[in-house]
Amino acid sequence: MEILVQKGDILEVATDLLVVGAYESELLHDPFTERLNELLGGKMTKMAKAQEFEAKLGQTLIFAAPDKMDMEYVMVVGLGELKSSVVEAARLASGTAVQMAKKMGLRKIAIEFFGEDHEEFSAKNTAEAMTEALLLADYQFNVYKKRKGVSIKEVIIVAEDGRDARSAEKGIEKGRICVDGTTVARDLVNTPGQDMTPTRLAEAAEEISRISGETVKVEIFDRAQVEKMGMGAYLAVAQGADSELKFIHLTYTPTVDYKKTVAVVGKGVTFDSGGLSLKPGSSMETMKCDMAGAATVLGLFTALGRLQPKVAVHGIIAACENMPSGRAIRPGDIVKSANGKTIEILNTDAEGRLTLADALHYAQKFEPDYLVDLATLTGAIVVGLGEEIAGVFSNDNVLSNKLVKAGEETGEDMCALPLHSAYKKLIQSEVADIQNTSTSRYGGSITAALFLSEFINSSQKWAHIDIAGPAFAERPMNSYTGLGGTGFGVRTLIRWIEEL
Ligand code: BES
Ligand code: MG
Ligand code: ZN
């Protein structure tokens, strides 16, 4: 998809589908819709009335363009109320434009450059947000099917005189990079477990390092090396599977002076059958998504090489598959993690926290200023927050606020939840230092986060993001996030890192 900024009168552009936005409160006071209505001899008002179009967020009103105009169709997209997030409204409207054009078999769109240039809603930010949604809405995963969908050829963002077109172009460039990272993550998640093995994840990491040049390096450790490092918890999860485990360590080092180092750990269970504590069939259907945290890390690194932020970043993935077999770990088995703590494994389906325990321990060797992990960790978080919101658990409020705020800016919703230490009693074991499941049926996301906290040094600033809900969409999430892997977290992490 080609995206360009063009100055001029939007009602005079040559295109297939012209898209203008309107706020609820000013449907007919908006300069474009008002003129449009005039050109249509007042028919727009009539149609809006007949179709109950009130410019609510996401609502659309479509009509054939008047003969005088150089386009096929005109669509008005509702931007909702003025006081809501303007950037997100711009994303949602841009996504809707692409979806509608695709549905109608149109290949060219001209879209209003939303907003007005001011600080938080600058031309660069707006163009970036619009680009993200335009490209993400056009995403398709075609690898395994014959019939490929069409994609949009050209989008012209039409800017009024006085708008900062230069900055808009920079925004488009930035948006493209963020989407490329997100697309990498989506593709990795959508690839079925049969192909997306730990080895494939490692190869993807190597590929990213190769195309990123000098700044991104990667190290891959195999079973023997992982054994040497004493990662008994991670090894326990991997031992039931025929696929080889791969421990992946990416590093991005800025070419200039930098002050901060962060480590991002992603859960990389390429398929989660539950192990001997086997999941029921229907719960297993989407479990190829259990490496979504890892996919986010790889998506992030795809972008880092191109954005070159002034922050050093470690990306760490303990990749393996959770399978039942004669070699699989049993409920009741006790293993020793790399930090020396012993763990009683009561349920082999609570495997993510075992792989993460060793990965988090490893990450802290590099003394990062901030340590963040992303994991499709618990079904309980989906019960609590639903399918679109991630939960953030942190021992540092400043860090967690920054992550949540970055999420607000990118439209990836996250909610801070308590790391309630009194619940630690629920994961105390009779026979080991800790057990991998809670003795209570309730608060499962908190006890999972508390389990992880047992592997975090007291001075380490750390946040755990449970993405079990939004990592994989079982129904379309919004106009620019369709079914399947969402790439959740890539854009938020980029934003957070750039603002450190
Ligand atoms: N991978 C799952 C969590 C999950 C659930 C991810 C739904 C995405 C969607 C995780 O490994 C798991 O099985 N967790 C168990 C933990 C339980 C056994 C304590 C769960 O949530 O049921
Ligand atoms: Mg599991
Ligand atoms: Zn899992």
Side-chain angles (χ1 to χ4, degrees):
M1 183 194 290
E2 200 184 345
I3 304 177
L4 12 121
V5 196
Q6 194 179 295
K7 284 219 171 179
D9 186 351
I10 192 162
L11 300 183
E12 282 169 14
V13 192
T15 189
D16 294 341
L17 177 67
L18 176 77
V19 181
V20 296
Y23 285 105
E24 234 174 295
S25 50
E26 46 186 46
L27 177 52
L28 286 175
H29 315 294
D30 181 277
F32 298 137
T33 45
E34 202 175 344
R35 274 178 58 210
L36 208 60
N37 195 36
E38 260 166 47
L39 279 169
L40 286 159
K43 288 209 173 99
M44 196 188 92
T45 329
K46 275 190 178 165
M47 274 189 280
K49 216 169 191 178
Q51 296 179 33
E52 292 178 8
F53 178 83
E54 291 165 337
K56 292 217 156 63
L57 194 58
Q59 265 191 324
T60 53
L61 182 67
I62 293 211
F63 34 87
D67 291 340
K68 289 166 266 178
M69 292 168 77
D70 207 2
M71 55 200 70
E72 296 282 325
Y73 298 92
V74 179
M75 175 166 81
V76 186
V77 188
L79 298 173
E81 292 183 52
L82 246 170
K83 61 180 191 295
S84 60
S85 165
V86 203
V87 180
E88 187 56 14
R91 272 196 206 96
L92 293 170
S94 306
T96 304
V98 168
Q99 291 215 337
M100 191 58 79
K102 283 179 124 179
K103 201 164 99 186
M104 297 168 66
L106 306 172
R107 305 292 293 277
K108 290 183 174 182
I109 300 173
I111 186 167
E112 170 186 354
F113 188 23
F114 296 118
E116 300 152 24
D117 300 359
H118 63 78
E119 211 178 327
E120 75 218 88
F121 194 34
S122 65
K124 177 164 184 279
N125 274 342
T126 311
E128 183 182 332
M130 288 179 68
T131 300
E132 285 177 342
L134 289 166
L135 293 168
L136 288 173
D138 205 29
Y139 173 82
Q140 38 185 325
F141 184 68
N142 278 332
V143 185
Y144 295 84
K145 62 181 183 192
K146 233 191 238 131
R147 202 151 61 90
K148 324 268 182 211
V150 286
S151 45
I152 303 297
K153 228 177 161 166
E154 172 197 277
V155 178
I156 302 172
I157 298 178
V158 189
E160 281 184 285
D161 287 337
R163 297 293 296 273
D164 184 352
R166 264 264 184 82
S167 300
E169 261 149 23
K170 284 202 184 114
I172 292 173
E173 216 171 290
K174 172 86 187 295
R176 235 180 228 292
I177 295 174
C178 294
V179 170
D180 287 345
T182 306
T183 301
V184 164
R186 285 183 176 186
D187 284 345
L188 290 169
V189 172
N190 287 331
T191 303
Q194 96 215 73
D195 289 336
M196 192 42 62
T197 57
T199 301
R200 261 289 279 286
L201 267 186
E203 285 166 1
E206 280 168 334
E207 172 75 3
I208 290 163
S209 160
R210 200 178 55 72
I211 59 177
S212 301
E214 279 302 291
T215 52
V216 176
K217 296 245 157 52
V218 65
E219 256 184 303
I220 314 278
F221 302 104
D222 62 15
R223 174 179 299 272
Q225 290 162 300
V226 168
E227 273 168 6
K228 250 197 215 133
M229 294 190 282
M231 299 185 170
Y234 169 38
L235 283 160
V237 179
Q239 78 185 38
D242 287 338
S243 53
E244 276 297 320
L245 66 80
K246 296 287 169 191
F247 190 93
I248 304 164
H249 179 183
L250 287 147
T251 45
Y252 161 76
T253 317
T255 49
V256 295
D257 269 359
Y258 60 90
K259 293 196 181 71
K260 295 254 156 67
T261 298
V262 306
V264 184
V265 175
K267 175 175 172 182
V269 174
T270 57
F271 182 73
D272 180 13
S273 70
L276 289 179
S277 312
L278 198 65
K279 284 181 186 296
S282 63
S283 311
M284 232 185 268
E285 285 173 10
T286 57
M287 280 306 132
K288 67 174 181 184
C289 83
D290 219 15
M291 37 57 76
T296 302
V297 171
L298 294 173
L300 168 68
F301 271 80
T302 307
L304 288 177
R306 286 163 71 186
L307 291 171
Q308 299 280 314
K310 292 186 190 124
V311 176
V313 187
H314 294 273
I316 291 151
I317 299 162
C320 66
E321 200 178 355
N322 186 22
M323 295 297 257
S325 78
R327 276 177 289 112
I329 195 84
R330 310 156 193 80
D333 281 358
I334 297 172
V335 299
K336 193 176 198 164
S337 71
N339 85 338
K341 286 192 185 175
T342 57
I343 306 165
E344 183 186 10
I345 299 179
L346 289 172
N347 189 319
T348 64
D349 198 11
E351 85 297 340
R353 61 198 78 182
L354 298 170
T355 65
L356 289 169
D358 284 337
L360 289 167
H361 174 73
Y362 175 87
Q364 290 168 94
K365 289 186 197 167
F366 307 95
E367 300 181 339
D369 295 289
Y370 303 102
L371 171 58
V372 175
D373 74 77
L374 294 103
T376 45
L377 202 64
T378 66
I381 200 78
V382 195
V383 174
L385 299 179
E387 295 172 300
E388 299 183 4
I389 307 172
V392 184
F393 300 85
S394 180
N395 57 10
D396 186 77
N397 280 334
V398 178
L399 171 59
S400 110
N401 287 341
K402 280 196 178 156
L403 288 167
V404 172
K405 184 166 165 280
E408 269 166 28
E409 289 166 358
T410 54
E412 297 184 317
D413 294 319
M414 311 202 282
C415 172
L417 293 169
L419 206 53
H420 187 65
S421 60
Y423 290 166
K424 278 192 183 169
K425 57 181 173 277
L426 301 173
I427 49 173
Q428 252 154 37
S429 166
E430 281 297 315
V431 291
D433 298 329
I434 188 172
Q435 63 188 37
N436 82 327
T437 53
S438 168
T439 51
S440 163
R441 287 174 53 202
Y442 305 109
S445 302
I446 300 179
T447 45
L450 285 170
F451 180 94
L452 299 181
S453 77
E454 292 288 324
F455 301 87
I456 304 295
N457 305 329
S458 55
S459 61
Q460 178 65 57
K461 290 179 179 162
W462 160 70
H464 154 61
I465 310 180
D466 195 335
I467 57 170
F472 193 85
E474 290 190 56
R475 65 202 91 248
M477 219 152 102
N478 54 42
S479 66
Y480 59 91
T481 315
L483 292 179
T486 60
F488 186 95
V490 174
R491 290 180 301 115
T492 299
L493 287 179
I494 293 172
R495 212 163 239 281
W496 169 67
I497 287 171
E498 286 195 326
E499 280 167 18
L500 277 178

